[in-house]
Amino acid sequence: MNLTYTPAQQAFRAEVRDWLACHVPAKRLASFDDSRDGFEAHRTWERTLHAGQWGMVTWPVQYGGRNVDLISWLIFEEEYYRANAPARVNQNGIFLLGPTLMEFGTAEQKARFLPAMAAGDEIWSQAWSEPQAGSDLAAVRSSAMREGDHYVLNGHKIWSTRAVYADWAFGLFRTELGSERHRGLSLILFPLTAPGVRISPIARLDGKPVFAEIFLNDVRVPVDQRLGAEGQGWAVCMATAGFERGLMLRSPARYQVAAERLVDLYRRHGDPNDDVTRIAVHRSWMDAQAYALSIYATASRLSAGGTIGAESSTNKIFWSELDIALHQTALAILGPRAELLPSAPTAHRDGDWLEDFIFALAGPIYAGANEIQRNIIAERMLGLPR
Amino acid sequence: MNLTYTPAQQAFRAEVRDWLACHVPAKRLASFDDSRDGFEAHRTWERTLHAGQWGMVTWPVQYGGRNVDLISWLIFEEEYYRANAPARVNQNGIFLLGPTLMEFGTAEQKARFLPAMAAGDEIWSQAWSEPQAGSDLAAVRSSAMREGDHYVLNGHKIWSTRAVYADWAFGLFRTELGSERHRGLSLILFPLTAPGVRISPIARLDGKPVFAEIFLNDVRVPVDQRLGAEGQGWAVCMATAGFERGLMLRSPARYQVAAERLVDLYRRHGDPNDDVTRIAVHRSWMDAQAYALSIYATASRLSAGGTIGAESSTNKIFWSELDIALHQTALAILGPRAELLPSAPTAHRDGDWLEDFIFALAGPIYAGANEIQRNIIAERMLGLPR
Amino acid sequence: MHFAFSSEQLMAAEVTTQLLQAHCTPALLRQLLARDAAREDSRWQALSEMGLMGVLIPTDAGGLGLNETDFVLLAEAGGYAALPEPLVEHAGVAAPLLAQVQPGHPLLTAMASGTSTLAIGHPINPFVADADTATALLLVHGDTLHLVRRDQTHITRQPSIDPFRRLYQVDWRASDCTRLDGAGPSDALLDQALNRGALFAAAQCLGLAQRSVHLAVAYARERQQFGKPIGSYQAIKHLLATAQVKIEFARPVVYAAAAELATHAPHAAMRVSHAKLAACEAAELATRTAIQVHGAMGYSWEADVHFFLKRSLALHAAWGSPAFHRGRIAHHIDGQPLGPDHTFYNGTGHV
Amino acid sequence: MHFAFSSEQLMAAEVTTQLLQAHCTPALLRQLLARDAAREDSRWQALSEMGLMGVLIPTDAGGLGLNETDFVLLAEAGGYAALPEPLVEHAGVAAPLLAQVQPGHPLLTAMASGTSTLAIGHPINPFVADADTATALLLVHGDTLHLVRRDQTHITRQPSIDPFRRLYQVDWRASDCTRLDGAGPSDALLDQALNRGALFAAAQCLGLAQRSVHLAVAYARERQQFGKPIGSYQAIKHLLATAQVKIEFARPVVYAAAAELATHAPHAAMRVSHAKLAACEAAELATRTAIQVHGAMGYSWEADVHFFLKRSLALHAAWGSPAFHRGRIAHHIDGQPLGPDHTFYNGTGHV
């Protein structure tokens, strides 16, 4: 056990920090969910990152990475959040599909998709859920019927983040006619610009169109856009979801930076008589530390050849609850001004606490509702009967 | 709405207070669970209460009561807890079986059982659970087979509080051979001294024998010791349980006095820098107030002819969680001395916080585990599907 | 001692609830937003015709001359419907304050009939709600109260996450002409107004909480996953049952606070603070639970539950932050007798 | 940066766990109680033969010369078994303190072999654990440390709810003969001892918590109600999953604290406090959850889960109350840089 960074890791941190100091836009980019302009500004930032070879540092150099270990990735993330750099518009690609491609993709698929992903040339959306398949993901009905060397996609996907402006999407489809539940599913990649794809935005509870429905009507995609073996989509998808929840979905640095700002907010605006809020501030900081330590332990285990199991479900519960508690504490500090939108003339200018609180509310729902995660922990980690 | 006591109620309070001041034993009685002596000392106290006509003030005068309303009963309880009067050894009788007898008993049964109950001449134990019937109370297997004008009881009851020294017990028995679940059950009263009854004590987690198993082997009881119609035991038992949970099982005064003592304990021994504990003290006090207000509302509704429904389940959850939180807060104030038994020479002498904490741990389990109560709230109060 | 509403009070609440059920549906709320209108005049009129605006206005001035116990269920009904119009601030807070200061003030009659609306700028709140649609504003300058015509102020909208909150920063000039002279020191009057504001905010929170549970129950009965309604899963049942328990033990505190405020019980302020804390917690838990039960749908603009979440969020620190109210509780605990004979005012201490 | 134990460390923990699985079963605990014996000598000997008593004693004195990272999993294993013998206080706290003060003290060799036991009376704790079976006691008088033979003291048992806690009030007289002169001021040494005590109490709590979940899982798989194992009900599953989440996010804090204490990282005291708080909370939740899952059986003397509840209760305020440890966290937050580059000692500040 060694909880100090190597000189190489320290040098890496310095390099990341220096580069970000020179390149992070001084002015905050417009949201990538609100407008095409904001989206494209984030794509430009992805290209800037890629030009600096920072698109996804753990990837092999040939795909645009630096071939560094997961600890270095964590260092990168720490510096990235410290620098308040733009949100990653391609997170569905680089953190979710990327690792899956790395594990299940053919050499051709990796060469085809990873560099374009790292470069920001292809921004990805996910297409997991369907109207009747939310927590019950295996209830997927959308189909991909084989016709020669193509699949013909039909169906209706929903809650697809980024889909309004993204270039590509990946999702589960039934490739076996009449198959049920987890059987007969395949993971298929498809361009959102293909004929027969229709995108319909869905507004979040604050009215921002951060999701979309994807309607697929006889969309033809070549067979080599299937990831993993035909009919094995469920296993591929579970690996993706496990990896997502276990490590990459939420960098600990995100919460550590938020907790640091929360401490600062309390120092400047907190009511010194408000014990409850002070305690909550300290707890948020401790929980963010605990989450970071846990992820360092996971990264160390993976680096030593270990795998991620059902304990990834514990991560998702922990960070989603931490995220809500942290932002709720910030709103408590802001008191009667907490409800103000940024457009209010007298709104505080101390960070996007309200917006981030709204975002945090989704945490216990997406990437598998926390109720499902608790089932997984109970059944797969603890061995309770189904 | 009128939240002031009538002159009659104020006079009643004064009378209770004066009487208790003169009669409550100066020295605390030995526990009624630990020894026959302690049990009999409590029986003697019940007789003293009865002599003062305080056994169960809401009952008709002919059964030993004063025929006062439920508000007066609450006032009695408030004064009783304020005076630190002995615990009611016959609580299974007066608070649980008594109201059930009042509702379902025949005139003869009331005359036969209620006065002896109020007088402390017959101390009651409950016999609900069986080894395979805990949360699943309808899984009762013990039987009461009719033979002429008697039932013959056979079976095995468990977790019977008071049964080691009590005189009588009441419980559910199958009176219909081969009946299943809620059907074919009857509520039967039987003396614990009857031939064929064997009592085996069970120790609580601190080693004190507060429960017992009751083994019944061809125990003959007259048919008129059945309460309610034959085969209607489930309905009678549910009414009993509802009444218990809804009102009588736990007087709010119990928690209000405990909260008052907690505030005092914190004043004298609390660490002024311990925000978390101070907040918990205040919360316990508020929750005890909220519980009292809720019970006053219930009593007012019942006095006006209302009934107790599934919301009695909300009570049980609330007081059981309050009870644990309150005593846990007391232990936090006591710090490293909290773990000491009263026999420790340097133990604090500030009340039985540890013992009461241990007692509180049973709260979410007995009288229907809180998980069962949440099912009841969801299904019967909110209308969610079974 | 009778801790229950009269049949008249229950009837008034029931009628109000039914009116709002018809005239304040989520669909109508969405229409109001689409029109970008400040209020729905027909709804305001309907509520006025029921007499709701005058509940706390003396009969001499055309009101009903009732008290907080009569109004609390109406405020709760407003929360249950996420009512956008300022029923509570106008009729529950501003009206009785003006009536206390100048029982014969001519504005009261127009207020009782709902033809004039009075907004209130209380020092505990940084903004004035619904200043734009108010005929006049009750404002504070130093230790004096002022009644200011809307056109004597300059107001700036402060948009809230709750699209139906119409908060304004108010710039104005105090003068002898605007000053309201009347009975009693303004401190005591403002404390009472704060207590009414906090009490009725608590009552609204109760309504928001209960509605959120009801919306979630309705959704959970319909929505199927893994072949059965999600409401049949114990996880969903227990989430909602836990929220309902919170509501059940906030409700009697809110009702007791109303009764004690109405009778000027000495510990009424403490009870109001308890009510505000308990009801806000219940609303917070219930609205969040409702969103969770709705799943992704609950996080969308489509489902109605967000209206209740946002109102709950807005009321959380209105009329005193939780820290303010906890401070009042602590003060009571530190200084007053606490035993079970002191639950109500004329407990044993007064036998 | 490698946040994982070595295979040697994992192996030692595994062997210890297996030994305790065989030699520290709940049935054996009950036998010990029935005999009213202070400790099980054969178990102590078996642990000693494994070298556990000397982990933190220098090799020169017959120990293994290892550090806190090597001991933390052993303390956790002790918690998992509810080990009655003072492995942690003797080998985890008293031994390294004596070794720091007088690395060549002759008692250390007997301590490393387990033939002598050293008890410790640290000012943060009101009592001395296992003073009765100790050969000698490390005690504090003013700012001096003393090594006192058992027969130089008068001890009074202070019975705890945990029947295996053997707490004593110790009366003794400090003298020049008993004083231990050695390197460094006693304040710093006592702080380090406190940190070890708190860290290993936290490790024990982790073990207690995990064992409680395991006992509850085993029971829930067997116990049938309504025709199926109670462990198949979502309510039970979610209670236990929630407890497991608490454990998972206490564990890395405890392990990091061990590593940072071993390397004298400047923020080690903060981390120890975090570890103590998190692990105590996990143990509290897990033991209570386990009792709830066991139902009435869990509230009885018959089920084993109460042994773990009682130990958790006893360790809650041992080696610093939660308020003490929260105070150290607050001090760190108020005075130190907090960003993600400061998670570990040589973060960016030291690039």
Side-chain angles (χ1 to χ4, degrees), chain B residues 282-283 285-286 289 293, chain C residues 124 191 194-203 249-250 253-254 256-258 260-261 266-281 315-316 318-333:
Chain B
H282 292 175
R283 174 167 285 272
W285 182 79
M286 280 194 276
Q289 289 286 103
L293 293 172
Chain C
I124 194 115
D191 267 1
L194 188 159
N195 284 332
R196 287 192 200 98
L199 167 66
F200 298 139
F249 288 88
V253 184
V254 175
E260 290 168 339
L261 208 53
H267 60 220
M270 171 283 288
R271 190 84 78 200
V272 165
S273 286
H274 184 177
K276 179 75 175 12
L277 290 168
C280 279
E281 273 185 25
L315 292 179
H316 190 76
W319 297 103
S321 68
F324 170 85
H325 290 292
R326 279 193 298 266
R328 300 211 305 186
I329 299 283
H331 182 72
H332 179 90
I333 290 176

Side-chain angles (χ1 to χ4, degrees), chain C residues 275-350:
Chain C
K276 179 75 175 12
L277 290 168
C280 279
E281 273 185 25
E284 191 174 296
L285 181 67
T287 54
R288 288 248 299 277
T289 298
I291 286 187
Q292 184 69 15
V293 168
H294 279 78
M297 186 56 78
Y299 193 65
S300 79
W301 178 256
E302 295 296 304
D304 299 321
V305 66
H306 64 83
F307 291 121
F308 302 88
L309 173 87
K310 292 167 181 171
R311 185 68 49 87
S312 158
L313 208 152
L315 292 179
H316 190 76
W319 297 103
S321 68
F324 170 85
H325 290 292
R326 279 193 298 266
R328 300 211 305 186
I329 299 283
H331 182 72
H332 179 90
I333 290 176
D334 287 346
Q336 300 298 320
L338 301 178
D341 48 332
H342 294 282
T343 309
F344 302 104
Y345 174 47
N346 68 353
T348 308
H350 312 269

Side-chain angles (χ1 to χ4, degrees), chain D residues 48-350:
Chain D
S48 301
E49 282 166 7
M50 280 184 59
L52 263 53
M53 302 310 154
V55 171
L56 301 183
I57 291 174
T59 49
D60 288 354
L64 300 176
L66 299 172
N67 65 35
E68 287 81 357
T69 314
D70 300 284
F71 196 78
V72 68
L73 291 175
L74 312 178
E76 184 177 346
Y80 192 87
L83 179 70
E85 289 79 27
L87 168 67
V88 163
E89 310 244 339
H90 165 77
V93 188
L97 177 55
L98 180 57
Q100 276 182 299
V101 184
Q102 293 193 357
H105 197 287
L107 188 59
L108 286 168
T109 313
M111 287 174 68
S113 67
T115 49
S116 289
T117 314
L118 185 60
I120 174 161
H122 193 284
I124 195 115
N125 297 319
F127 307 113
V128 180
D130 299 281
D132 56 335
T133 54
T135 312
L137 294 82
L138 257 181
L139 298 169
V140 177
H141 180 75
D143 59 355
T144 54
L145 279 169
H146 295 257
L147 186 68
V148 189
R149 286 198 322 276
R150 160 73 187 82
D151 59 13
Q152 292 173 309
T153 66
H154 177 73
I155 64 175
T156 316
R157 179 84 185 261
Q158 306 289 333
S160 159
I161 180 79
D162 177 354
F164 301 109
R165 286 271 279 185
R166 304 183 69 81
L167 298 178
Y168 291 87
Q169 179 177 310
V170 175
D171 295 307
W172 63 292
R173 191 178 292 272
S175 73
D176 287 350
C177 306
T178 58
R179 195 171 68 233
L180 271 181
D181 294 318
S186 68
D187 273 9
L189 291 171
L190 285 172
D191 268 1
Q192 287 178 51
L194 187 159
N195 284 332
R196 286 190 201 98
L199 167 67
F200 298 137
Q204 289 177 82
C205 282
L206 274 188
L208 295 168
Q210 191 61 72
R211 181 64 172 280
S212 298
V213 169
H214 287 168
L215 286 171
V217 165
Y219 185 79
R221 288 162 58 104
E222 295 301 321
R223 167 75 170 170
Q224 307 255 334
Q225 290 279 270
F226 304 100
K228 32 181 208 172
I230 61 170
S232 64
Y233 290 97
Q234 228 181 4
I236 299 292
K237 286 182 181 175
H238 286 203
L239 284 178
L240 289 168
T242 299
Q244 190 64 39
V245 171
K246 269 277 191 208
I247 295 171
E248 294 296 324
F249 288 88
R251 188 174 278 133
V253 185
V254 175
Y255 296 167
E260 290 168 339
L261 208 53
T263 57
H264 310 288
H267 61 220
M270 171 283 287
R271 191 84 78 199
V272 165
S273 286
H274 185 177
K276 179 75 174 17
L277 291 167
C280 279
E281 273 185 24
E284 193 173 295
L285 181 67
T287 54
R288 289 247 300 278
T289 298
I291 286 186
Q292 185 69 14
V293 168
H294 278 78
M297 185 56 78
Y299 194 64
S300 79
W301 178 256
E302 296 296 304
D304 299 321
V305 67
H306 65 83
F307 291 122
F308 301 88
L309 174 88
K310 292 167 180 172
R311 185 69 49 87
S312 158
L313 208 152
L315 292 179
H316 191 74
W319 297 103
S321 69
F324 171 84
H325 290 293
R326 279 194 297 265
R328 300 210 307 185
I329 298 283
H331 182 71
H332 178 89
I333 289 177
D334 287 346
Q336 300 298 321
L338 301 178
D341 49 331
H342 293 281
T343 310
F344 302 104
Y345 174 47
N346 68 353
T348 307
H350 310 273

Side-chain angles (χ1 to χ4, degrees), chain C residues 10-34:
Chain C
L10 293 171
M11 177 76 78
E14 178 61 24
V15 173
T16 305
T17 300
Q18 282 173 7
L19 185 145
L20 294 175
Q21 210 160 31
H23 296 286
C24 193
T25 62
L28 290 169
L29 292 180
R30 287 170 191 273
Q31 286 177 20
L32 189 66
L33 279 184

